[in-house]
Amino acid sequence: MDTKNRTRLFMVALIAALCAFPMVVTNSYILLIATLIGIYIIVNSGLDIVYGYSGQITLGQAGFYAIGAYTSALLSMHTGLPVILCMICGGLLASFLGMLIAIPSVKLVHHFLAMVTIGFGEIVRLLALNGGELTGAADGIPFIPKLSLFGFTFDTTGRYFYVVLGAVIIMLILKQNLVRSRIGRAFRSVRDNADAAAAFGLNVRRLKVTAFTVEGFYGGLGGALYAHLVGFISPETFTLQQSVLFLTMVLLGGSGNLWGPIIGSVLISIMFEVLQPLGQAQMAIYGAIIMGVMLFMPHGIWGAVSTQAARVGRRAPMTEAEALDTKGRS
Amino acid sequence: MKRHLTLIAAAAMTLAQPALAQDKDVTFGFFGPLTGPSAQAGQSLRNGALIAIDQINAEGGLLGDTVELIEYDDRSSPEQAVRSATKLIQVDDVDAIVGSLHSGNILAAGPEIERGEVPLVGAGTSPTWLQQGYTYLFRALGNSELSVRQLAAYAKQSDLNNVAILHSNDEYGNSGASLFENFAKENELTITTKESFTHGDRDFTGQISIIARSAPDVVFVWALGDDLGPVTKQFRQLGYFGPIVGPEGYTLPEALEIAGPTADGVVFAAQYLIPETPEAAGDPMMANFLSAYNEKYGEMPASDNAFRGYDAVQVLAEGIRRAGTTDGAAVRDAINSINDLQGIAGTFDYSAGTGEGISTMRIYAIKDGAYSELK
Amino acid sequence: MQFFIQLAAGGLMVGAIYALVGMGYSLIYRASGLLTFAQGEYFMLGAFGIYTFFVLFDLPYPIAVIAVLLTMVGVGFASEKLLIGPLLRRGAGPIHIVIATIGLSIFLLNTAMMIWGSQGFHVPSTLGDMPVRIADVYLVPQNMAIVVIMFALMIALHIFMNKSRLGTTLRAAAQDKMAAAALGINVSLAVGLTWGIAVGLAGAAGLLIAPIYGVSAHMGLLVGLKGFAAAVIGGYGSIYGAVVGGLLVGLVETFTSGYIDSTMKDVIVFAFLLAVLFFKPTGLLANDMLED
């Protein structure tokens, strides 16, 4: 059987295994972690579109996550809209705000863009913190309603797992369609060489904004799913640390492909659970891992695996002077 | 082949053993900040609980079983609190829970606790988490409503009628500030201005300048212990030398250390103080506790959360004894029947059914780095 | 009026701290075109440094200060040699350096908590805690000293970079690595030393503010971000820009707190930063200052 069919069979088998998962593993805590991993996969896949496919650094994911979560929570509690619509609204609002922020931002690169995205994320969090009655301020919003579809309520983690699984599958299919389309190819041209892309007539700015807009939806939907899973949100969840965590997952797993964000989300989540007994050292190790990944696996696990499979000779290591000269200013 | 099967069977049995043993012991769960800025308080809470558990085990355990404590770090984060609570209830199958000391975290974990039907005694002082209708949550010390009411009354008695408020913009600070506004109205005090700051921030020039300009007779401060030192010091540095009333965070050693002489003139409400030595404790129960703590950990507790942890376990243990079982609903009802249990905080009385067990609070003044109780 | 001056004094002091941290960012950018996210944690380490040497080891204050500064310069040098250099040699791009320094800052923060503990610590001020009163305005000597010292360091840095041989060497290495190497300059050492100085500046800010803010592991987080904002607002890569940016951020923050709303203090600072990035990304100080 050829590779394509083999991959398809693998996917089907994987999905079937995941569908059986909550029936085999009834432990509510493990299901919670697994469902959260699913949510992270959605957020990180969106992040991957901006970082991996269009080459822009962003540290504002927590902002989209927050917008989606708060929007969905508030809509579901103050209006009669069914939760599923509230979630989509959350995604759309995050997407829209992502577009607004992106428009003036995409002319910036690297550290400046990073700074803008950090500023965006922090402003969202601070507005939530100071939002008084509306956002619940520091107390947060408790008792967020559960999702119900056609009269069936997803009130246990096991049931909600299926919702998230479905969302993951849909969002990943959409992502693959996007990156394989013309726009996806255009993203990659921008990532690899923005000037050349412009020279070839691509509207670089519009493409970059599009990437952020898409990321916004993924992040917002993820946030909404989170809100209705945990039932409680507060500004403390949506910090810069959370954005860094998302980016770390993408970096570790490998960016610019389907599996990287998935692998990263799974590994980091498991790592945190395993390291928990170590207390303070857990976070120090997390920092060390980030440095290690940058040093030894800058293309992430998927990147390292792919390069092993298709090794094309390695260029000689540069001296520091050469590196600084060619990479330094941009 | 047969040897392999036997090995596998043996392995399976050994793996199953701890699970079986688990069912036999009575297990208490704990979640609180064991790392992060409130780590000292969180560790004190856990240590205090362990002292109580040691004592119970030394006296034969609960219902004939040894008591065990399973602890998780909630890292001062509500999300982590929810996870910890879920794990304790779903994975570890605990019979009772102590924690957290962050009221926001107890609030976040509330639904899970209630659904899991596991009694919890929390160490946070904000009234909010006992106002949501949860039946499985209890408190083993006075809440901040008691503290604030007494401080407002103190201000009135001392003829300090114009009050300025400075609070941290978090769950703790916000609830204290709004409580004070209510009691100020009752006591006919005037609020000259109300300012807030972000927990952890260290520059309060703007807020304090506004407060100083409003010429209050007294300032009401409400924030966690780690903020209080810099806040108090900056009040004096920006020209406000008048009295300050505030929360039990002033019992934290670092608050007094950082504030130094600027803490003179501070009056605060607290359930209890940590004396210099176990012998200096007036209450024999506290003295015994402190001796045991000193012996086990080699030092006096850094935070009064140690007392809270000890009392929490006592309340839960008493509930289990009275119920004669570890069934959640029975223990909950048993705790509600307690009206005369001695603890370090005072006499516990849960008969009102609100989950609150203590209804008195003490007031202390600071002078020359020393505390003295005001009657 | 007194209110205004009181706020301005406070804003200048806070601004001076941001300026010191920001100068470090700008220096690193000039030396290697790179961005680091770890300045906030170096600031925190400087504060722990003075606590360790002055309080724990009980050394005389001037000796303690020198010890802290030397340690921080060493730490900066080591950071460059152990992390940044190897990353660059492996062909890492700016984004990888950014992420790596984020990892470094997380590592430093939590290691500090493991070493010293997560509570707050007190460092007494050699100039006393109590303010002097000048016409209804209360000024704390330590705060005033910080502003003065910041300006002194700014001038010293300028003199060092422009007038001294070592400084000129560093600038040469920053401007054109190949040419400098060709002239026999040890580029690797020069870059390392520049990082050392940048980190030393952050450490100096930490040791100066320790008696005022207290010392705790989390003290660097927000200061690091605002110091970075200061560098960007003033003109990334410019020492004077960082100073202007820092003072500006400090003043905006304090005046917002005093005249508008203390809860919006941080939001306004970030909004200000975003505005500068959108409309004048090279910073408020015009381009020609990038070459100073």
Side-chain angles (χ1 to χ4, degrees):
Chain A
M1 154 176 10
D2 66 0
T3 343
K4 198 165 168 194
N5 279 337
R6 216 182 322 174
T7 321
R8 285 231 181 96
L9 190 64
F10 174 70
M11 300 274 209
V12 170
L14 182 63
I15 293 178
L18 287 172
C19 284
F21 187 70
M23 297 189 259
V24 173
V25 181
T26 50
N27 184 312
S28 180
Y29 182 70
I30 296 186
L31 285 174
L32 176 66
I33 301 296
T35 312
L36 279 171
I37 290 179
I39 291 176
Y40 292 155
I41 290 176
I42 294 177
V43 176
N44 291 330
S45 297
L47 172 54
D48 189 34
I49 291 177
V50 169
Y51 174 66
Y53 286 96
S54 68
Q56 307 181 78
I57 172 171
T58 164
L59 281 166
Q61 296 71 260
F64 296 133
Y65 201 52
I67 293 171
Y70 273 94
T71 306
S72 188
L74 290 172
L75 281 178
S76 66
M77 289 170 84
H78 296 295
T79 71
L81 276 178
V83 176
I84 188 77
L85 284 183
C86 299
M87 288 189 185
I88 297 187
C89 285
L92 288 174
L93 185 61
S95 184
F96 178 66
L97 291 173
M99 181 184 76
L100 286 185
I101 271 286
I103 291 176
S105 308
V106 291
K107 64 184 182 219
L108 303 167
V109 286
H110 302 309
H111 11 273
F112 300 109
L113 183 59
M115 207 51 211
V116 168
T117 57
I118 292 176
F120 167 71
E122 278 297 284
I123 289 180
V124 170
R125 183 184 66 84
L126 288 167
L127 288 177
L129 181 64
N130 293 308
E133 292 279 335
L134 179 64
T135 63
D139 296 345
I141 301 178
F143 308 122
I144 299 175
K146 297 286 167 193
L147 171 67
S148 302
L149 271 180
F150 312 116
F152 183 72
T153 307
F154 296 88
D155 54 357
T156 70
T157 314
R159 291 182 185 171
Y160 204 78
F161 177 84
Y162 287 111
V163 175
V164 172
L165 181 61
V168 168
I169 293 175
I170 295 176
M171 298 311 285
L172 285 181
I173 292 177
L174 289 176
K175 177 188 177 195
Q176 286 303 94
N177 285 343
L178 179 66
V179 302
R180 284 186 191 147
S181 71
R182 262 180 58 185
I183 297 187
R185 285 197 293 278
F187 281 160
R188 269 168 291 170
S189 327
V190 168
R191 173 193 68 194
D192 294 333
N193 193 331
D195 292 327
F200 271 94
L202 289 177
N203 188 335
V204 173
R205 274 235 186 145
R206 177 130 43 107
L207 284 166
K208 287 184 172 181
V209 172
T210 309
F212 270 106
T213 311
V214 173
E215 185 206 354
F217 186 79
Y218 277 72
L221 183 66
L225 286 168
Y226 173 82
H228 295 277
L229 167 68
V230 179
F232 172 82
I233 55 176
S234 77
E236 299 205 26
T237 310
F238 308 106
T239 57
L240 177 57
Q241 278 87 302
Q242 185 71 40
S243 292
V244 171
L245 184 64
F246 286 139
L247 189 58
T248 307
M249 289 177 178
V250 172
L251 287 169
L252 178 66
S255 61
N257 57 78
L258 173 67
W259 292 103
I262 298 177
I263 294 175
S265 305
V266 171
L267 280 183
I268 298 270
S269 299
I270 294 181
M271 181 201 87
F272 267 120
E273 290 301 311
V274 165
L275 289 180
Q276 238 227 2
L278 290 178
Q280 199 68 67
Q282 173 192 31
M283 292 305 284
I285 291 178
Y286 168 56
I289 287 182
I290 295 179
M291 290 191 280
V293 168
M294 286 298 101
L295 274 172
F296 305 115
M297 270 196 301
H299 296 289
I301 290 181
W302 190 254
V305 162
S306 312
T307 355
Q308 285 286 15
R311 197 141 273 248
V312 186
R314 197 193 258 197
R315 60 163 186 263
M318 301 184 224
T319 65
E320 204 176 308
E322 291 166 325
L324 282 170
D325 245 348
T326 54
K327 297 270 183 196
R329 313 282 181 90
S330 10
Chain B
M1 189 62 171
K2 198 159 174 204
R3 222 175 99 207
H4 287 301
L5 281 174
T6 327
L7 279 172
I8 294 174
M13 294 249 288
T14 20
L15 285 173
Q17 278 287 21
L20 293 170
Q22 204 86 306
D23 283 333
K24 191 155 194 317
D25 282 349
V26 171
T27 35
F28 278 38
F30 169 89
F31 69 94
L34 295 175
T35 60
S38 300
Q40 264 197 328
Q43 286 166 9
S44 300
L45 183 66
R46 189 258 333 259
N47 293 348
L50 279 173
I51 297 282
I53 290 179
D54 286 346
Q55 279 181 4
I56 292 174
N57 283 335
E59 289 163 11
L62 270 183
L63 306 180
D65 294 335
T66 332
V67 182
E68 217 198 304
L69 183 74
I70 298 183
E71 56 184 72
Y72 291 121
D73 179 12
D74 75 4
R75 292 198 226 132
S76 301
S77 136
E79 176 173 339
Q80 202 57 32
V82 173
R83 286 204 207 187
S84 304
T86 309
K87 206 166 178 185
L88 284 171
I89 296 175
Q90 304 283 350
V91 176
D92 302 307
D93 200 21
V94 298
D95 303 305
I97 300 182
V98 174
S100 167
L101 57 85
H102 290 301
S103 295
N105 288 6
I106 300 176
L107 204 57
E112 188 64 38
I113 306 284
E114 192 76 7
R115 199 181 14 229
E117 295 185 354
V118 177
L120 177 149
V121 176
T125 55
S126 172
T128 44
W129 49 273
L130 281 181
Q131 292 169 340
Q132 307 297 329
Y134 295 127
T135 62
Y136 281 89
L137 303 186
F138 300 91
R139 194 189 329 255
L141 75 161
N143 65 23
S144 47
E145 193 173 333
L146 286 176
S147 307
V148 177
R149 180 188 294 138
Q150 272 202 268
L151 289 174
Y154 167 81
K156 187 70 187 170
Q157 280 162 20
S158 317
D159 206 24
L160 303 166
N161 294 309
N162 296 309
V163 191
I165 299 178
L166 178 64
H167 68 98
S168 57
N169 188 10
D170 53 17
E171 200 277 323
Y172 183 73
N174 290 346
S175 82
S178 65
L179 280 170
F180 188 81
E181 284 177 306
N182 294 341
F183 288 119
K185 224 173 289 170
E186 263 180 42
N187 285 285
E188 290 169 351
L189 302 168
T190 322
I191 310 277
T192 62
T193 179
K194 180 170 132 176
E195 294 291 316
S196 71
F197 63 91
T198 310
H199 168 62
D201 196 5
R202 288 288 171 260
D203 181 61
F204 319 104
T205 311
Q207 296 94 324
I208 295 182
S209 299
I210 294 180
I211 289 178
R213 189 172 61 168
S214 74
D217 298 320
V218 63
V219 175
F220 173 83
V221 173
W222 208 258
L224 291 170
D226 50 309
D227 288 331
L228 292 176
V231 165
T232 314
K233 192 154 80 169
Q234 264 186 44
F235 265 114
R236 312 315 193 192
Q237 288 177 333
L238 287 163
Y240 174 77
F241 300 102
I244 296 176
V245 295
E248 76 273 9
Y250 276 110
T251 59
L252 210 56
E254 79 179 69
L256 222 52
E257 232 183 272
I258 291 180
T262 62
D264 283 1
V266 168
V267 166
F268 65 94
Q271 196 71 58
Y272 21 47
L273 286 183
I274 307 173
E276 292 284 315
T277 63
E279 296 74 39
D283 171 23
M285 197 168 188
M286 184 191 279
N288 284 339
F289 168 76
L290 289 173
S291 305
Y293 194 101
N294 217 350
E295 209 184 300
K296 178 163 180 165
Y297 297 107
E299 58 179 7
M300 295 285 269
S303 153
D304 66 358
N305 274 281
F307 302 140
R308 302 185 202 184
Y310 182 83
D311 281 345
V313 169
Q314 300 292 30
V315 169
L316 290 167
E318 180 66 14
I320 293 177
R321 273 189 216 110
R322 288 196 183 196
T325 159
T326 56
D327 169 61
V331 177
R332 171 200 56 188
D333 295 336
I335 295 179
N336 279 320
S337 75
I338 296 176
N339 66 357
D340 202 4
L341 178 67
Q342 267 306 107
I344 299 180
T347 313
F348 289 106
D349 179 356
Y350 289 98
S351 54
T354 58
E356 301 280 4
I358 296 280
S359 50
T360 56
M361 185 62 68
R362 299 190 182 93
I363 302 206
Y364 300 91
I366 302 181
K367 181 129 181 74
D368 296 328
Y371 302 112
S372 60
E373 187 174 345
L374 297 179
K375 301 290 176 182
Chain C
M1 193 54 193
Q2 171 265 342
F3 185 65
F4 178 85
I5 297 179
Q6 189 76 72
L7 291 178
L12 285 176
M13 184 216 69
V14 167
I17 295 298
Y18 300 148
L20 281 169
V21 173
M23 276 197 263
Y25 281 117
S26 284
L27 202 54
I28 288 177
Y29 185 70
R30 280 227 303 179
S32 45
L34 295 175
L35 172 71
T36 164
F37 259 90
Q39 280 295 80
E41 266 51 59
Y42 292 129
F43 164 78
M44 179 264 296
L45 285 177
F48 270 109
I50 194 70
Y51 171 72
T52 309
F53 289 118
F54 184 47
V55 177
L56 288 182
F57 295 168
D58 212 9
L59 297 171
Y61 191 69
I63 312 259
V65 168
I66 294 176
V68 174
L69 290 176
L70 285 178
T71 311
M72 293 315 295
V73 170
V75 166
F77 190 84
S79 304
E80 200 279 327
K81 287 290 148 247
L82 295 175
L83 182 65
I84 309 297
L87 276 170
L88 289 170
R89 275 195 292 280
R90 285 158 214 252
I95 170 66
H96 297 114
I97 307 284
V98 168
I99 306 295
T101 53
I102 290 180
L104 178 61
S105 76
I106 294 175
F107 179 76
L108 290 174
L109 170 66
N110 287 283
T111 310
M113 282 203 268
M114 289 197 290
I115 295 177
W116 285 283
S118 41
Q119 68 269 33
F121 299 95
H122 175 61
V123 175
S125 168
T126 46
L127 297 174
D129 279 326
M130 285 302 105
V132 295
R133 186 174 161 176
I134 303 176
D136 256 6
V137 176
Y138 291 89
L139 299 171
V140 180
Q142 181 90 18
N143 297 20
M144 297 190 282
I146 290 177
V147 181
V148 170
I149 292 176
M150 186 275 293
F151 279 115
L153 282 175
M154 178 189 84
I155 295 174
L157 194 61
H158 175 83
I159 295 178
F160 172 72
M161 295 297 270
N162 291 324
K163 303 277 190 279
S164 79
R165 244 187 92 179
L166 185 54
T168 316
T169 310
L170 295 183
R171 275 195 308 138
Q175 259 184 6
D176 189 337
K177 309 280 178 297
M178 289 305 196
L183 287 171
I185 291 179
N186 187 337
V187 172
S188 169
L189 192 63
V191 176
L193 204 54
T194 313
W195 275 74
I197 296 176
V199 169
L201 285 168
L207 80 87
L208 286 170
I209 206 70
I212 302 176
Y213 284 179
V215 179
S216 72
H218 286 87
M219 64 191 288
L221 291 173
L222 210 48
V223 169
L225 278 180
K226 289 187 186 165
F228 183 73
V232 170
I233 288 174
Y236 209 61
S238 156
I239 306 295
Y240 300 113
V243 172
V244 167
L247 294 176
L248 208 53
V249 170
L251 289 169
V252 164
E253 194 177 279
T254 315
F255 281 126
T256 302
S257 186
Y259 285 114
I260 304 177
D261 187 342
S262 52
T263 51
M264 298 309 273
K265 178 166 93 153
D266 291 331
V267 177
I268 300 236
V269 167
F270 281 114
F272 183 29
L273 170 69
L274 256 56
V276 170
L277 281 172
F278 289 157
F279 300 117
K280 203 161 195 296
T282 46
L284 293 177
L285 256 50
N287 288 349
D288 49 79
M289 287 306 255
L290 273 168
E291 233 37 70
D292 71 16

